[in-house]
Amino acid sequence: MAKKFSEMHNIPYYECDVTKQLAVPSIMKIAISVSEHQSDSVGVTDDFIHSFGLGWIITQHDIYINRLPKEGDKIKVTTLAESYNKYFCYRRFWLHDEEGNELVSVLTTFCLMDLEQRKIASVQEEIMAPFHSEHIKKIKRNDAILPINAPTDEREYRVRYLDIDTNRHVNNSVYLEWLLDTVGYERLTSHSIQRILINFNKEVRYGDVVQSRYELNTETPDISRHVIMNDDIVCAEANVYWK
């Protein structure tokens, strides 16, 4: 049975936004860092993964937010490498406050990418064995993402050197920055995010120029619909649930 791995984390000001709450992209930076620490602790280091010619990539986040912690808060970050099948690995994350109240929960889907072919590779048993994850055959299906019909706004971003990670493509947290930036200051400071469902469809690399589009549809006024485009290629799509 897979075991949980936890670390305590003190939230500094630079992980927060203008409201002094933990910025949403920071949630995933912290979470992924803790999962890397677990991997290192069981010997599944980056060097070990690279020895197979592979690297981890993320294909989906499903983020639920009960309450965002604030600057100076001490939180407990927990992760569990829950299960895997031939191509997908499912990892859960939780953030709790010092009283044990659940602040955030996340289900993230990982894949292994062939670093030379830039294609998804099958999951190696040697990589997953140290986590004691459940081997399943079923592919987990999350809620469908509502598509954009008529964009409310669009902004363009050029990929900078600091946007890319060790896989030499845009880090997944940057996509969250792009889609949230598009909705603007007023909504971000007057509304709270309850959930973000985001799919990563195609990698974006250094020097690319992407378009972040969003739509507020009268049929679903509490859900903003998002897409990240690179020319005519859909690189990511997301729904953000607001209150």
Side-chain angles (χ1 to χ4, degrees), residues 22-30 173-174 176-177 180:
L22 184 65
V24 172
S26 295
I27 293 174
M28 296 317 307
K29 290 178 183 178
I30 296 167
S173 65
V174 176
L176 294 171
E177 295 176 8
L180 292 177

Side-chain angles (χ1 to χ4, degrees), residues 24 65 180 188 191-196 240-243:
V24 172
I65 300 172
L180 292 177
L188 290 170
H191 292 69
S192 298
I193 296 173
Q194 293 182 304
R195 183 189 184 193
I196 298 179
V240 180
Y241 296 70
W242 303 85
K243 64 176 180 179

Side-chain angles (χ1 to χ4, degrees), residues 16 26 37 169 207 227:
C16 299
S26 295
H37 295 166
H169 61 204
V227 67

